[in-house]
Amino acid sequence: MENADRVARIQEEWRRERPELDVSPQGVIGRLHRLAGHLTGELTEVYARHGLGEGEFDVLATLRRSGPPYERAPGELAEHTMVTTGAVTKRLDRLVQAGLVTRRPAGGDGRRRVVALTPKGVQLIDAAFAEHMANERRLVEQLSAADRAALERILTGWLAAFEG
């Protein structure tokens, strides 16, 4: 087992200690978990170069991909970023302070709010997203085109089982 990866070594130890248990799922889950950690580190480096955390990048990208005038209600942001409204509020506070987004009343309803990208926010997310896509391409190009297509198909199906 000298050339085995860390997950394989852990599995081998568990097979020795608990031979009655099937530890084969750990081969997939353990590697996905470790890979997610590595990928997150690679992605957040790009965000940091633009002065953003992962959450701020997510909010700015959600606003930008909504199209002109690049705005959404805070509840929509929570829905599109898959975080709680409380977490969105904290992110928005930081982005407003940085001059990247504004909050204003929606239409004629003073109770509803809208969050919009500022010109500075559009410029920043456009630059950050272009670098982000180049970084993601660099990361997935470690796999062949056929493996990327197969992995995307497999992960899409598996994720659908959770997110239905």
Side-chain angles (χ1 to χ4, degrees), residues 22-154:
D22 175 15
V23 297
S24 63
Q26 200 174 40
V28 174
I29 302 295
R31 286 183 181 92
L32 278 174
H33 184 72
R34 291 185 53 74
L35 183 59
H38 290 295
L39 292 174
T40 297
E42 295 282 337
L43 298 176
T44 57
E45 280 183 29
V46 170
Y47 310 150
R49 280 198 288 275
H50 295 273
L52 300 169
E54 192 172 23
E56 288 84 11
F57 177 90
D58 195 16
V59 168
L60 294 177
T62 299
L63 289 168
R64 178 62 175 90
R65 72 175 182 262
S66 71
Y70 312 119
E71 60 185 35
R72 292 187 189 261
E76 289 178 301
L77 284 173
E79 179 183 321
H80 288 274
T81 58
M82 296 186 291
V83 298
T84 65
T85 53
V88 167
T89 299
K90 289 179 183 178
R91 292 173 183 176
L92 291 177
D93 289 344
R94 289 190 291 269
L95 293 170
V96 167
Q97 187 174 20
L100 301 172
V101 301
T102 60
R103 287 186 185 115
R104 62 173 175 74
D109 186 352
R111 295 170 302 177
R112 287 194 57 237
R113 309 290 287 169
V114 170
V115 177
L117 284 175
T118 63
K120 179 180 174 183
V122 172
Q123 185 177 11
L124 179 70
I125 192 57
D126 280 353
F129 187 72
E131 187 178 348
H132 172 66
M133 284 293 91
N135 190 39
E136 283 194 349
R137 178 167 308 288
R138 175 187 67 83
L139 293 167
V140 300
E141 283 180 343
Q142 297 175 45
L143 303 171
S144 70
D147 283 350
R148 288 192 306 266
L151 185 57
E152 184 172 1
R153 181 184 47 74
I154 291 165

Side-chain angles (χ1 to χ4, degrees), residues 5-39:
D5 66 20
R6 184 175 293 178
V7 174
R9 288 191 302 270
I10 290 168
Q11 286 179 286
E12 188 56 36
E13 290 171 351
W14 277 119
R15 284 186 186 104
R16 183 190 69 233
E17 294 300 314
R18 297 292 308 270
E20 77 281 11
L21 294 177
D22 175 15
V23 297
S24 63
Q26 200 174 40
V28 174
I29 302 295
R31 286 183 181 92
L32 278 174
H33 184 72
R34 291 185 53 74
L35 183 59
H38 290 295
L39 292 174

